[in-house]
Amino acid sequence: MLSKLTPVCPPQLLNQAQALPAMITAVVNAGSELALESAKLAFEAGIIIPVLVGDIGAIITAAQAIDWPIDNFDLIACDGEEDAAAKAVQCVHQGNAQLLMKGNLHTDVLIRALLDKHHGLRTGERLSHLFHMSVPGSDRVLCITDAVVNVLPDTKTQLSILRGATDVMHALGNPKPKIALLSATEMVTQAMPSSFNAKELLGVMLEHDHQRAQVFGPLAFDGAVSPEAARLKGIKNPVAGHADVLLVPNIETGNAIFKQMVYFNGATAAGVLMGAKVPVMLTSRADPPAARLASAALAVVYAHYLSQKS
């Protein structure tokens, strides 16, 4: 049942990033081969200029192992994961980095540095994550949020997730994305908390939110992505069957959908952390090179959008 398709970096996404100036990117705790391979991919694609933050000796050793000359890059010495995260965040404050790439450190360490009350990169919105999913041979893109950070988001958190996802879609060139509030039913019922939460989210959205995106729910998965299923169910809304974004009710739902697409459909999952002053690329050891490059491209496009918006 597992797909034999080889994941590819979506050409349209990469081309969009390559049409923009390369972004100075602090690679957080860069002293591992995998971290440097991710940075190298994005650098050679012409979309980032890396600043390597970490143990200098480990960085040099890892760079030699992957045959990557790093003499022309800025290196910032640090001692351990927490120091690396703090100094990478400091790079942003000092104007020496325009976005961040997670290297060899735990995600929670990086998130703590982002949320530090005195030295972090808070914006007033909750941190959240979006996956840009693409399948080889298909032009359709489906985004999933939040499958990484927020376990069981309340209505206020979901509103932040919604606004972050809308920004990413605008950055990608979609001026009014169709966002489906996912549940397992189209009926609002207390017995299905996710359906009731969808109704609550629609109720707290501002007019500005509605002007920037078409949002509808609750919708089951088939009603969100299949025009035929939406027609058979009698759901008459522009979002039904044509969703650009699935806003999931909990992390388990998002995690299952994105991994199903990766392992059954050969999808490439490009991920970006939203809600901080600059985007953050969160890559995993299990991610293929195509997904790591796609994540960098997505972050670059999003970073340029945020810099223009501010």
Side-chain angles (χ1 to χ4, degrees), residues 141-212:
V141 170
L142 182 65
C143 294
I144 302 168
T145 187
D146 178 349
V148 173
V149 175
N150 293 286
V151 176
L152 187 64
D154 58 17
T155 301
K156 184 177 180 180
T157 301
Q158 284 192 324
L159 186 58
S160 276
I161 295 170
L162 173 71
R163 289 170 174 168
T166 300
D167 275 345
V168 174
M169 298 308 292
H170 285 191
L172 291 170
N174 187 337
K176 198 159 187 179
K178 297 178 176 68
I179 301 179
L181 308 181
L182 211 62
S183 180
T185 178
E186 284 77 33
M187 301 295 293
V188 177
T189 169
Q190 292 276 11
M192 183 77 67
S194 58
S195 70
F196 197 76
N197 293 345
K199 179 183 177 182
E200 286 191 334
L201 179 54
L202 289 169
V204 300
M205 288 175 60
L206 302 178
E207 180 61 29
H208 178 63
D209 298 314
H210 287 287
Q211 290 173 353
R212 301 180 73 235

Side-chain angles (χ1 to χ4, degrees), residues 277-294:
K277 289 183 179 178
V278 298
V280 182
M281 296 170 236
L282 294 182
T283 55
S284 166
R285 285 171 294 180
D287 289 339
R292 286 182 270 145
L293 179 57

Side-chain angles (χ1 to χ4, degrees), residues 215-263:
V215 184
F216 183 70
L219 279 170
F221 183 84
D222 56 347
V225 301
S226 168
E228 180 65 10
R231 184 187 66 81
L232 291 172
K233 289 184 173 186
I235 310 169
K236 297 180 180 179
N237 185 278
V239 176
H242 301 280
D244 300 306
V245 179
L246 301 179
L247 198 160
V248 299
N250 52 55
I251 199 170
E252 295 93 342
T253 301
N255 186 275
I257 294 173
F258 109 79
K259 287 183 177 175
Q260 177 271 320
M261 291 184 68
V262 169
Y263 287 98

Side-chain angles (χ1 to χ4, degrees), residues 14-88:
L14 183 58
N15 290 341
Q16 188 175 356
Q18 289 175 326
L20 299 167
M23 300 292 275
I24 303 172
T25 302
V27 184
V28 190
N29 216 31
S32 73
E33 292 180 31
L34 185 64
L36 288 187
E37 284 172 354
S38 299
K40 182 183 180 184
L41 281 170
F43 172 73
E44 291 181 343
I47 60 177
I48 75 164
I49 300 169
V51 174
L52 305 176
V53 184
D55 179 272
I56 301 296
I59 292 173
I60 292 172
T61 299
Q64 290 172 341
I66 65 170
D67 194 26
W68 189 27
I70 58 172
D71 297 345
N72 294 327
F73 301 143
D74 290 335
L75 274 63
I76 297 177
C78 66
D79 182 19
E81 292 186 7
E82 293 185 1
D83 191 37
K87 286 182 177 174

